[in-house]
Amino acid sequence: MRITGGRLKGRRIAVPGGGDVRPSTDKLREAVFSIIGDDILGAKIADLFCGSGALGIEALSRGADYALFVDSSRRNISNLRKNLEKLGIMENSDLKVMDALKIRPKRMKNYSIVFADPPYNRGLGERLISLFCLPKFEWYGILVLEHESDWIYKGQEMEILNRKAYGDMAVSFLRKNR
């Protein structure tokens, strides 16, 4: 897989095998960062359910200052660490092996953009939204949620800023209502 934009454009990242990682496609990543635009510059971002870390790596390549990567798989985090070291961006990154749904509210407060690509058809997108909308979760950034194309957010806690579908996958840009 190749990085599609920024200072690391064209560089390759290794993707763990085994079928449990579904990296965001080049087309989807390009669309996501086209929508985000200059808001990525200087941002602190989080990549939850990060798998290969493609979204977070792309964000760092395009000008984000710092990335938190969270995945429950030690193998995925180990692979990601190697990619970050090879690309020379480990110093701008923090890696956590943990369930993204157990992240502490205090930990997320300063992240302006959160990317999340949970496994499809398990209700994890809804659970993540519910977590971020808890009263103690004082986070008001943008949630970029990748999901199956037939899923549509129907809750009231977040506003849908944008939604794009690409075949059997889609991405929604959501912001918590204040």
Side-chain angles (χ1 to χ4, degrees):
M1 171 179 287
R2 290 185 186 270
I3 299 167
T4 63
R7 65 186 171 96
L8 300 172
K9 182 178 181 176
R11 300 274 306 267
R12 291 187 182 274
I13 59 173
V15 177
D20 63 333
V21 174
R22 184 194 65 252
S24 302
T25 66
D26 290 0
K27 183 177 180 179
L28 183 121
R29 282 182 284 125
E30 286 176 4
V32 162
F33 287 97
S34 175
I35 291 167
I36 291 171
D38 288 343
D39 289 343
I40 200 66
L41 300 175
K44 278 184 75 175
I45 68 98
D47 189 351
L48 307 181
F49 305 95
C50 68
S52 68
L55 286 167
I57 291 171
E58 192 81 41
L60 289 169
S61 177
R62 291 174 182 253
D65 279 350
Y66 186 82
L68 168 66
F69 295 91
V70 177
D71 199 277
S72 61
S73 166
R74 288 191 186 283
R75 186 175 63 101
N76 290 348
I77 292 295
S78 176
N79 181 76
L80 176 56
R81 180 178 307 280
K82 290 174 190 168
N83 280 325
L84 295 171
E85 288 169 351
K86 184 176 93 177
L87 295 168
I89 54 176
M90 187 64 212
E91 69 279 357
N92 301 87
S93 307
D94 188 15
L95 289 79
K96 297 291 179 200
V97 178
M98 65 179 290
D99 180 347
L101 295 172
K102 294 186 177 170
I103 199 132
R104 300 253 187 249
K106 208 179 227 183
R107 179 128 178 105
M108 297 306 297
K109 192 172 185 173
N110 296 317
Y111 291 91
S112 58
I113 302 171
V114 174
F115 299 98
D117 185 9
Y120 292 176
N121 300 312
R122 295 188 195 171
L124 298 175
E126 292 92 342
R127 289 179 56 200
L128 186 66
I129 289 170
S130 294
L131 173 69
F132 274 64
C133 291
L134 289 172
K136 65 182 178 183
F137 221 107
E138 295 182 23
W139 174 81
Y140 296 98
I142 302 297
L143 174 62
V144 181
L145 179 64
E146 193 173 326
H147 52 83
E148 55 275 11
S149 62
D150 60 351
W151 180 83
I152 297 174
Y153 175 65
K154 295 177 183 160
Q156 302 298 313
E157 299 90 358
M158 287 198 169
E159 168 189 7
I160 300 173
L161 303 173
N162 204 329
R163 184 180 190 281
K164 299 286 184 189
Y166 302 94
D168 63 348
M169 69 176 90
V171 63
S172 293
F173 295 74
L174 303 120
R175 181 175 51 213
K176 184 175 171 180
N177 294 323
R178 293 185 186 239

